[in-house]
Amino acid sequence: MVQPTRWRRILLKMSGEVLGGEKGIGLDDQVMTRIAQEIKQVHDWGVDIGIVVGGGNFFRGVEATVERGIDRVTADYMGMLATIMNALALQNALERLGAETRVMSAFEVRAVCEPFIHRRALRHLEKGRIVIFAAGTGHPFFSTDTAAVLRAAQIGAEVILKGTDVDGVYDSDPHLNTNARLFDRLTFAEAIELGVRVMDTTAFSLSWERNIPIVVFNITVPDNLLRVVQGEPIGTLVTASAETR
């Protein structure tokens, strides 16, 4: 049944660690199924959904460069391959629920998914399919956060929903500082000046330039995605200028 929602087209960005459950490693079937159920419910409400998922539950390029001495370009491509694995797993979870999906990769892996083609992605959304964008931007040195903003701009998403394992944007790491302050809203300028780590500066700058708001929220809490899409003031809203929620 169609429900009133705040946006008609969204880009959902999730870290790979979210799909790994409490350990943040590999894939947690229960977590994957629960998130897929919420995504399908939002889609059933009539919301167009594009998804970008990270690969940190399998491989993190930056850490591999530092800890293992792998060349940065090679490590980043390995990380992109990890995002394809997550995209295929999420596609499988969604299709088990009856949702029609497409996985589109920034570089060609034709045996398992489509290459990203802008007009084809728009056509998939128009036909009511959930589109999962894999392999980041297809280029090293760019994060999946930046890829999320890029894809959001390309598909005309009204908002980027950044699903994390914390309740929003804090002034310091809430895992390390129990007194960390949670922001209800920020401007992109404030987020960049504060150096918040929930998204990188390139992603914030591009979203600012394209005037695409970002909501950072805790997707590990059941039904939070549904509540955010329905307009409840959950998490942190980051916009070009100060505004009320």
Side-chain angles (χ1 to χ4, degrees):
M1 184 174 68
V2 176
Q3 295 285 330
T5 58
R6 185 171 182 179
W7 304 283
R8 302 302 298 173
R9 178 167 292 182
I10 65 173
L11 190 293
L12 174 63
K13 168 61 171 67
M14 292 185 291
S15 66
E17 289 88 344
V18 166
L19 300 181
E22 291 184 4
K23 295 182 179 179
I25 299 172
L27 295 170
D28 185 305
D29 289 339
Q30 289 186 333
V31 170
M32 180 80 71
T33 299
R34 195 264 305 164
I35 290 176
Q37 288 171 337
E38 292 187 22
I39 292 171
K40 183 178 184 299
Q41 186 167 342
V42 170
H43 186 256
D44 289 345
W45 289 345
V47 178
D48 297 336
I49 305 175
I51 303 171
V52 172
V53 62
N57 52 326
F58 288 121
F59 190 87
R60 295 187 65 85
V62 174
E63 290 179 5
T65 300
V66 175
E67 297 174 3
R68 305 177 188 177
I70 300 176
D71 171 76
R72 174 63 188 273
V73 173
T74 300
D76 279 357
Y77 278 119
M78 293 170 70
M80 292 178 214
L81 292 171
T83 72
I84 294 173
M85 290 193 290
N86 279 334
L88 293 173
L90 184 58
Q91 178 184 43
N92 182 69
L94 285 164
E95 291 188 341
R96 286 203 310 263
L97 299 171
E100 189 174 2
T101 71
R102 292 291 187 274
V103 174
M104 307 189 82
S105 170
F107 54 74
E108 292 193 8
V109 195
R110 287 184 180 271
V112 294
C113 59
E114 301 178 20
F116 172 76
I117 298 172
H118 178 223
R119 289 182 180 273
R120 185 179 293 174
L122 293 176
R123 185 62 174 159
H124 286 323
L125 291 168
E126 289 166 1
K127 284 182 170 289
R129 296 164 182 152
I130 297 170
V131 184
I132 307 170
F133 301 108
T137 66
H139 302 283
F141 305 108
F142 292 95
S143 70
T144 51
D145 285 334
T146 298
V149 181
L150 177 62
R151 297 294 181 244
Q154 289 172 314
I155 67 172
E158 299 168 71
V159 68
I160 297 166
L161 305 182
K162 173 67 186 285
T164 71
D165 63 352
V166 294
D167 292 334
V169 178
Y170 290 81
D171 61 357
S172 59
D173 190 339
H175 295 302
L176 303 176
N177 179 13
T178 57
N179 295 316
R181 174 192 172 196
L182 174 65
F183 294 102
D184 177 61
R185 55 185 177 270
L186 285 170
T187 65
F188 288 115
E190 290 170 335
I192 293 170
E193 183 179 355
L194 288 168
V196 297
R197 298 174 62 86
V198 70
M199 292 185 85
D200 61 75
T201 301
T202 302
F204 275 133
S205 297
L206 181 56
S207 198
W208 187 2
E209 178 185 333
R210 301 306 306 170
N211 195 26
I212 306 173
I214 299 172
V215 178
V216 181
F217 72 104
N218 192 337
I219 199 170
T220 69
V221 176
D223 294 334
N224 257 7
L225 175 60
L226 308 179
R227 296 168 65 196
V228 168
V229 172
Q230 288 182 309
E232 291 190 35
I234 296 172
T236 304
L237 175 65
V238 187
T239 57
S241 58
E243 61 178 65
T244 57
R245 301 186 67 169

